[in-house]
Amino acid sequence: MRALITGAGRGIGAALMAEGRGRGHEVLGTVRSGDGIQLEVTDPAAQARAAGAVGAIDLLVCNAGVLLDRDAGVRDLSVEDLRQTLDVNVTGVFLTVQAQLANLSRGGRIAIISSQMGSSTQATGRTMAYRVSKAAALNLGLNLASALRSEGIAVGIYHPGWVRTDMGGSAAAVGAEDAARGLWDRFERLDQSTSGCFETFDGQTHPI
Ligand SMILES: NC(=O)c1ccc[n+]([C@@H]2O[C@H](COP(=O)([O-])OP(=O)(O)OC[C@H]3O[C@@H](n4cnc5c(N)ncnc54)[C@H](OP(=O)(O)O)[C@@H]3O)[C@@H](O)[C@H]2O)c1
């Protein structure tokens, strides 16, 4: 497959690049600085430039994301953090898919990296901006699965595990390489029969 991964400079995105290449796929990655396709996911002009630079792909992985309001509650969540979180984690995913649709054809796949924290079963009331954004990314993925079914494009939504990255922290349960291995297993199985799935990296169906 020829794949594009957003936010590939570090963390899960970097591990997904390495794992995909190790499996023999051609994997391109976007970054905000340094080597790679330059992409700030919230910038429509940058999205258009990236789409032109990338060309035809079989798989798009919307991985870039932020967690800005760790443990914040209803009284201490700032409007800036709420807006920025929704901009990157929801609008950024939508703009990425919209721009890259020209590069995907029938049989193409889109993977959205959401989180178990976006599940309505985990609405704990803390880290609310992140939870709301990941719930929206999950719902966006479900809508995209419906919208793109007639075009033969499959959409999967994934929880990568609690992963040891800058975001997940050093106490997290899963190494980035293990998360990437499990996620690639999911991507390789994604087709029309599994489109609209919400799965963990290790293949469990997660409640929406
Ligand atoms: N780690 C976990 O336990 C965990 C659990 C569930 C879900 N997730 C999800 O998995 C994905 C990757 O997480 P991670 O742990 O690898 O996070 P990370 O280590 O913080 O890396 C985040 C990546 O997203 C990129 N990014 C952030 N904002 C961006 C923007 N506006 N435009 C373009 N790229 C942007 C970053 O690029 P820069 O280097 O330029 O900042 C970086 O490559 C995220 O969507 C996250 O919500 C992670």
Side-chain angles (χ1 to χ4, degrees):
M1 278 194 274
R2 191 164 192 270
L4 176 70
I5 298 168
T6 64
R10 59 191 170 102
I12 295 168
L16 283 171
M17 283 253 293
E19 176 67 21
R21 286 176 175 170
R23 292 179 183 220
H25 299 296
E26 183 187 352
V27 189
L28 310 173
T30 79
V31 294
R32 290 194 291 183
S33 60
D35 288 344
I37 296 158
Q38 302 298 310
L39 179 63
E40 159 59 58
V41 292
T42 62
D43 179 354
Q47 290 281 7
R49 282 194 298 275
V54 166
I57 50 173
D58 307 294
L59 168 67
L60 169 66
V61 184
C62 297
N63 165 77
V66 290
L67 194 173
L68 303 175
D69 66 324
R70 194 181 306 277
D71 293 330
V74 62
R75 288 186 174 76
D76 53 357
L77 170 59
S78 70
V79 65
E80 292 80 11
D81 281 356
L82 177 60
R83 284 190 173 140
Q84 178 70 6
T85 302
L86 294 173
D87 204 19
V88 176
N89 293 359
V90 187
T91 309
V93 174
F94 177 76
L95 291 176
T96 302
V97 171
Q98 195 178 48
Q100 293 297 330
L101 270 182
N103 292 329
L104 286 158
S105 48
R106 188 163 281 278
R109 307 166 204 213
I110 298 172
I112 294 178
I113 307 301
S114 176
S115 169
Q116 63 183 2
M117 290 172 73
S119 168
S120 297
T121 63
Q122 295 201 16
T124 64
R126 311 292 300 184
T127 320
M128 215 186 309
Y130 183 76
R131 286 181 200 276
V132 167
S133 75
K134 289 299 183 178
L138 166 57
N139 189 270
L140 174 59
L142 298 174
N143 271 282
L144 289 168
S146 297
L148 298 173
R149 187 171 291 280
S150 65
E151 297 178 38
I153 295 172
V155 183
I157 306 110
Y158 302 97
H159 168 57
W162 180 28
V163 187
R164 290 189 289 278
T165 62
D166 293 338
M167 184 186 294
S170 57
V174 181
E177 297 74 17
D178 290 337
R181 198 173 310 118
L183 287 168
W184 266 102
D185 286 346
R186 309 275 79 69
F187 304 161
E188 289 176 346
R189 287 171 173 77
L190 176 60
D191 62 14
Q192 284 303 326
S193 72
T194 52
S195 188
C197 65
F198 181 32
E199 290 178 343
T200 63
F201 75 107
D202 55 356
Q204 312 296 311
T205 296
H206 199 288
I208 290 170

